[in-house]
């Protein structure tokens, strides 16, 4: 589902994605409030969400969509669309549960790949967005962080994998770093998300920094 206050953007993205054999555009919305309603009706797997919109912005719409889901219900993955990679909403959107960011002026192939990546459960964080996330985190007070006790649920190897996720490494890169099979890494990632009750890798990155497991600049 595509959410943007500009009709031309919705139509352009919709036509591009609908032309892909493995993607179906189930609907669109012109603002955040309409998006919240339509997500409940259409139950999409992925929502392309514009950050800045009148009435209800993408950040609040993301919060309402993800926090309003019933326990055990299907929850869509949110891909935030922004004009600027240094958008002030980056950090809060990730904390709200967004799975990644994409610039509106990205090439068409990048948009298509982004939807597939998000649908597959991976995070999509450009290096510039990750740097912004870390910079924002470093400037915040050390209160309001998960208790370190939450990390006790992880095995030493799972903790190592979480550190590498937080540094933006892919499963292939983590496998090479730890000298294990990529399937083993996928298993570790799945267990990490389950133990920490996290939706995807984007939330894992936020958790790793907020818990103090990884320090900005480290």
């Amino acid at each position: 589902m595509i959410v943007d206050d500009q009709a031309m953007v919705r139509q352009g993205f919709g036509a591009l994605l609908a032309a892909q054999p493995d993607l179906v555009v189930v609907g669109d919305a012109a603002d955040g409030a309409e998006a919240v309603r339509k997500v409940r009706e259409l139950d999409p797997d992925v929502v392309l969400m514009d950050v800045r919109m009148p009435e209800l912005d993408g950040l609040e719409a993301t919060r309402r969509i993800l926090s309003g889901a019933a326990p055990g219900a299907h929850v869509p993955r949110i891909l935030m669309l922004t004009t600027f990679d240094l958008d002030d909403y980056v950090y809060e959107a990730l904390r709200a549960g967004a799975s990644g960011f994409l610039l509106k002026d990205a090439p068409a192939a990048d948009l298509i790949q982004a939807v597939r990546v998000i649908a597959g459960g991976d995070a999509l964080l450009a290096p510039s967005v990750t740097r912004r996330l870390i910079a924002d985190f470093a400037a915040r007070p050390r209160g309001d962080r998960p208790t370190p006790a939450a990390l006790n649920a992880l095995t030493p190897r799972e903790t190592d994998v979480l550190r590498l996720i937080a540094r933006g490494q892919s499963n292939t890169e983590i496998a090479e770093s730890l000298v294990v099979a990529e399937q083993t890494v996928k298993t570790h990632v799945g267990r990490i998300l389950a133990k920490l009750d996290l939706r995807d890798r984007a939330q894992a990155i936020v958790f790793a920094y907020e818990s103090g497991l990884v320090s900005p600049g480290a």
Side-chain angles (χ1 to χ4, degrees):
M1 193 175 88
I2 301 166
V3 184
D4 197 287
D5 60 333
Q6 298 181 44
M8 289 184 65
V9 172
R10 297 197 304 274
Q11 293 166 6
F13 285 174
L16 175 65
L17 295 171
Q20 307 309 307
D22 58 334
L23 301 176
V24 176
V25 178
V26 297
D28 61 34
D31 60 58
E34 184 181 10
V36 175
R37 293 193 302 270
K38 285 197 170 182
V39 161
R40 293 169 183 160
E41 298 170 4
L42 302 174
D43 195 27
D45 294 313
V46 176
V47 177
L48 300 186
M49 180 76 75
D50 188 20
V51 170
R52 296 179 176 178
M53 295 180 290
E55 304 298 332
L56 188 70
D57 64 32
L59 175 58
E60 183 58 28
T62 295
R63 285 198 187 101
R64 294 186 187 184
I65 288 170
L66 298 180
S67 65
H74 173 258
V75 179
R77 300 186 184 278
I78 311 288
L79 174 60
M80 307 298 293
L81 296 169
T82 181
T83 305
F84 306 102
D85 62 350
L86 297 184
D87 198 296
D88 291 339
Y89 286 142
V90 167
Y91 187 83
E92 290 303 327
L94 289 172
R95 291 196 70 186
S99 294
F101 275 77
L102 185 71
L103 294 179
K104 282 187 177 181
D105 61 358
D110 288 357
L111 172 62
I112 295 166
Q113 180 62 18
V115 172
R116 291 172 177 152
V117 167
I118 294 296
D122 286 331
L124 186 77
L125 298 174
S128 57
V129 170
T130 302
R131 286 195 297 271
R132 174 65 171 182
L133 168 66
I134 294 170
D136 280 358
F137 172 81
R140 291 169 181 267
R142 294 189 61 85
D144 188 29
R145 298 191 186 181
T147 170
L151 293 170
N152 293 338
L154 303 182
T155 66
R157 179 45 59 93
E158 289 167 353
T159 301
D160 291 339
V161 171
L162 179 57
R163 286 194 183 96
L164 296 176
I165 290 174
R167 295 189 174 108
Q169 291 195 13
S170 66
N171 285 350
T172 300
E173 291 168 334
I174 294 173
E176 292 174 353
S177 297
L178 299 180
V179 195
V180 297
E182 187 171 347
Q183 184 56 50
T184 300
V185 174
K186 291 180 180 178
T187 299
H188 286 316
V189 172
R191 288 174 178 168
I192 290 167
L193 298 181
K195 287 181 178 181
L196 299 180
D197 193 26
L198 303 173
R199 185 176 298 107
D200 55 28
R201 295 170 81 102
Q203 288 194 331
I205 291 171
V206 172
F207 180 93
Y209 283 101
E210 290 198 327
S211 66
L213 178 65
V214 177
S215 300

